[in-house]
Amino acid sequence: MPCFRCGARQSDPVRGASPWKRGVRADRQVLICPACQRSEDWTAALDRCVACGSTALICRLGEVECRACGHVRQACPPDRSGDLVTSGAPGLSEEVAAALSRVLGRGLLG
């Protein structure tokens, strides 16, 4: 899943905690890359908890839960996600093919 702000994709993870942050926007789980987190207002576009105002939300199985206060609500239908950067990233298929080639061996894919 790419960063919802700039479209950057995560590279292979390194050991330890990920520098990428999770959030919810338009009732869908999104990722925020470290570069976008350096912006002062990077949380401004994220959904907030209706009970406490926190952006520490997670979305799962049709529900949005606040990690700060525990408030749970039903997620809205997915038609609200029109401006999210979620697919069609240029070069993604080539990156996937290259990663599979590295993992499975060069001769298997091509």
Side-chain angles (χ1 to χ4, degrees):
M1 176 186 305
C3 173
F4 89 95
R5 291 186 64 172
C6 69
R9 290 183 298 278
Q10 284 182 300
S11 58
D12 290 336
V14 294
R15 292 191 184 269
S18 173
W20 287 63
K21 300 287 185 193
R22 288 183 293 175
V24 173
R25 178 156 188 231
D27 287 349
R28 296 187 69 193
Q29 192 84 32
V30 295
L31 290 176
I32 304 95
C33 73
C36 287
Q37 291 173 44
R38 289 194 268 290
S39 165
E40 282 186 34
D41 64 344
W42 71 271
T43 61
L46 298 177
D47 292 353
R48 295 189 172 272
C49 175
V50 296
C52 73
S54 173
T55 59
L57 304 176
I58 56 173
C59 189
R60 62 175 178 246
L61 301 174
E63 294 181 336
V64 176
E65 179 180 344
C66 178
R67 291 190 148 195
C69 73
H71 178 77
V72 178
R73 65 174 175 79
Q74 292 296 309
C76 292
D79 59 20
R80 291 182 53 205
S81 62
D83 64 340
L84 295 178
V85 178
T86 58
S87 64
L92 180 59
S93 61
E94 291 83 9
E95 286 184 32
V96 170
L100 287 171
S101 180
R102 283 192 306 271
V103 172
L104 300 175
R106 299 212 182 273
L108 295 176
L109 294 176

